[in-house]
Amino acid sequence: MTESIPQSFEELGLSAESLAALRQLGFAKPSPIQARFIPIAITGRDCIGQAQTGTGKTAAFVLPLLERLDLDDRRTQALVLTPTRELSQQVADEAHRLSSEHELTTACCVGGRPIRQQIDQLKSGAQVVIGTPGRVIDLLARRVLSVENLKCVILDEADRMLDIGFRPDIERILKQCPKERQTLLLSATLPPPVERLAQRYMIDPERVDLSVKTVAGDTIDQYVIPVDPDRKFRTLVQLLKQERPQQAIVFTRTKRGAENVLKKFRGKLPGAAFIHGDLAQSARDRIMLRFRERKIRLLIATDVVGRGIDVSTISHIINYDVPEDCDDYVHRVGRTGRLSSTESRGTAFTLVCRDEGGQLTNIEKRINRMLESYPIEGFETQRPVARRLTVDELESAEPAAPDEEEEEFGFMLT
Ligand code: ADP
Ligand code: MG
């Protein structure tokens, strides 16, 4: 039997309220992960959804929830766990938008914000609780959050949560949840630790795997810039001058690295800021708001904070340092070329030093394509020598076509 994939939200069996909300949001049709994940999740079955960042996984689990919850019951019926505060907030915001025509109560329970407010929210009844594992455990211990009546637990960005070391916390939470419940797991990648978690806490899950063909590739041009280690910063400036990004994130490997880049810009580039995990939540929120408002044009970020950012106006991702882990590459690059982006394409550049050829090869294997070199005028240097990919590895890889036409972006560095 060939299954047909629904082409419209109407075919997904959503309520009139959801369809109205989707219309208001201007979502014309379900994204591929939504079209395949929703019909399964809506039945109450456990399901694992694997797809690249920016492919609409939030709505893929929120929409079925809206159909499955008893909205007359004020008790907590669903728990969404995410790796970072920003991601929790983004899920909460998206849930809010998607449920604008429903009477749904939610609470966003993350660390770094006053717990009092979250306690009040929980006490007044939150049908869907979205949060980071640490704060959720805290609220469970204080007995203000109850998971007794959960119908559904959602592990969002499961790979990230495990990377950050949330596995023990997640397990502690899951052990308290009712055995009879639905568990949904969403992730860009399914490394063995995620598989193990799924095996232990999910019951015969269905799988929707869109990981191969939907790797960022189609909407994101990706290039490598061979660079001399001691001319990195100047190469970055030249790149920005050349590209004039509408809005960009510059990723560094460490907080110190991010700080250094910002210091060099300070005074010379008013629209630059940097964000990292040690900043107070209020400061992080402020920066994100200004970034969303496009008052910040260049955001320098480390992986932990940066990978969750969902701002559709980001035109460029610049990996100032090669990501240590190739999944980080995918996450970083996924910040541009977003589904709702008004610019149809995003561009990602990765600065690579001579001795980083091995890391580059790992990334190319991960995304299954070769990254073309993009020499910067006046800063040309040798591309790192690494093992070429084999024909097998490249079988389904498509080379990136360079964009001939110059795009007019804002003049941020003139
Ligand atoms: P993911 O969790 O897979 O990284 P998100 O759920 O954050 O992706 O969605 C990325 C962006 O795409 C969000 O801004 C979201 O509002 C938007 N989006 C989601 N589904 C659709 C759709 N069907 N049509 C248009 N935009 C969508
Ligand atoms: Mg997501």
Side-chain angles (χ1 to χ4, degrees):
M1 195 184 82
T2 50
E3 49 171 334
S4 69
I5 297 162
Q7 298 298 318
S8 69
F9 284 115
E10 282 77 9
E11 288 169 67
L12 291 171
L14 303 176
S15 56
E17 289 88 347
S18 289
L19 294 176
L22 287 163
R23 263 195 304 278
Q24 284 167 30
L25 283 172
F27 288 12
K29 61 178 178 55
S31 68
I33 183 81
Q34 291 163 359
R36 299 186 44 194
F37 191 88
I38 293 173
I40 300 164
I42 215 166
T43 67
R45 283 203 62 174
D46 284 4
C47 191
I48 296 174
Q50 188 184 1
Q52 223 344 83
T53 2
T55 51
K57 292 192 289 299
T58 317
F61 67 78
V62 169
L63 290 168
L65 264 191
L66 290 173
E67 307 305 327
R68 296 204 350 104
L69 301 187
D70 175 1
L71 297 185
D72 295 325
D73 181 350
R74 301 278 289 179
R75 294 176 301 183
T76 299
Q77 299 171 54
L79 174 66
V80 184
L81 295 176
T82 87
T84 65
R85 300 158 188 180
E86 281 78 12
L87 282 165
S88 283
Q89 191 57 55
Q90 276 170 29
V91 169
D93 291 346
E94 183 95 332
H96 221 248
R97 288 192 290 269
L98 290 165
S99 65
S100 62
E101 300 296 313
H102 285 94
E103 301 281 335
L104 180 77
T105 54
T106 64
C108 185
C109 299
V110 296
R113 294 217 188 107
I115 199 162
R116 192 67 250 167
Q117 210 177 320
Q118 295 166 10
I119 292 175
D120 290 344
Q121 249 179 333
L122 290 172
K123 283 191 171 153
S124 68
Q127 291 158 321
V128 178
V129 171
I130 301 141
T132 44
R135 181 54 66 94
V136 165
I137 284 191
D138 191 350
L139 290 161
L140 280 169
R142 290 170 190 244
R143 298 189 180 285
V144 279
L145 170 62
S146 156
V147 289
E148 260 166 55
N149 302 295
L150 284 190
K151 289 189 169 143
C152 185
V153 176
I154 295 116
L155 305 173
D156 192 20
E157 307 243 1
D159 51 354
R160 289 297 131 203
M161 284 203 284
L162 296 192
D163 277 356
I164 301 177
F166 276 139
R167 193 182 56 85
D169 285 354
I170 295 170
E171 294 199 5
R172 256 173 82 187
I173 296 167
L174 289 176
K175 282 182 183 141
Q176 296 184 46
C177 295
K179 285 238 159 9
E180 246 181 70
R181 58 147 202 271
Q182 180 183 34
T183 308
L184 301 174
L185 186 150
L186 291 299
S187 203
T189 60
L190 290 182
V194 176
E195 287 286 359
R196 278 197 295 275
L197 189 77
Q199 209 155 24
R200 286 194 69 171
Y201 296 96
M202 298 179 79
I203 299 168
D204 191 20
E206 284 262 10
R207 285 162 187 269
V208 175
D209 179 359
L210 297 176
S211 59
V212 186
K213 282 293 168 197
T214 47
V215 166
D218 287 353
T219 51
I220 304 170
D221 293 319
Q222 303 171 59
Y223 301 101
V224 161
I225 300 176
V227 67
D228 280 337
D230 48 0
R231 296 210 297 174
K232 253 181 151 176
F233 182 73
R234 283 187 296 147
T235 307
L236 171 66
V237 171
Q238 183 61 29
L239 171 69
L240 290 170
K241 278 188 186 157
Q242 229 166 280
E243 285 290 310
R244 292 184 178 155
Q246 169 179 286
Q247 221 177 2
I249 304 182
V250 174
F251 279 102
T252 62
R253 207 173 298 157
T254 61
K255 214 174 56 198
R256 161 86 38 98
E259 222 159 21
N260 283 339
V261 172
L262 183 72
K263 244 186 242 147
K264 290 182 186 161
F265 273 131
R266 193 154 272 152
K268 293 181 208 137
L269 190 63
F274 106 99
I275 190 164
H276 60 83
D278 290 353
L279 284 177
Q281 187 58 38
S282 56
R284 274 158 74 167
D285 291 345
R286 230 174 9 253
I287 291 170
M288 281 316 298
L289 183 67
R290 286 178 48 225
F291 193 56
R292 250 173 246 290
E293 289 173 342
R294 294 172 68 173
K295 287 182 184 130
I296 294 173
R297 306 281 298 279
L298 186 83
L299 188 64
I300 302 155
T302 51
D303 287 296
V304 178
V305 180
R307 66 185 156 215
I309 295 172
D310 173 22
V311 175
S312 56
T313 44
I314 299 169
S315 58
H316 288 70
I317 297 297
I318 299 164
N319 293 318
Y320 190 73
D321 299 315
V322 182
E324 222 156 328
D325 178 316
C326 35
D327 288 338
D328 279 334
Y329 177 86
V330 175
H331 280 275
R332 288 180 180 186
V333 165
R335 302 302 99 210
T336 187
R338 308 290 281 171
L339 209 56
S340 58
S341 176
T342 44
E343 298 293 332
S344 54
R345 301 184 75 80
T347 312
F349 293 103
T350 303
L351 273 56
V352 185
C353 298
R354 252 188 316 278
D355 58 351
E356 295 174 320
Q359 278 149 281
L360 180 57
T361 305
N362 285 340
I363 290 171
E364 290 178 324
K365 275 203 289 207
R366 172 72 178 78
I367 62 172
N368 207 15
R369 68 195 255 188
M370 299 276 276
L371 292 174
E372 234 177 278
S373 292
Y374 192 98
I376 299 294
E377 229 177 290
F379 293 86
E380 293 89 351
T381 182
Q382 284 275 297
R383 185 182 169 115
V385 187
R387 183 177 67 75
R388 309 290 294 179
L389 297 186
T390 65
V391 177
D392 252 6
E393 285 164 345
L394 277 169
E395 210 172 35
S396 51
E398 301 153 56
D403 218 319
E404 289 298 324
E405 266 165 75
E406 286 249 311
E407 286 215 303
E408 266 312 304
F409 286 125
F411 291 83
M412 73 183 280
L413 271 173
T414 42

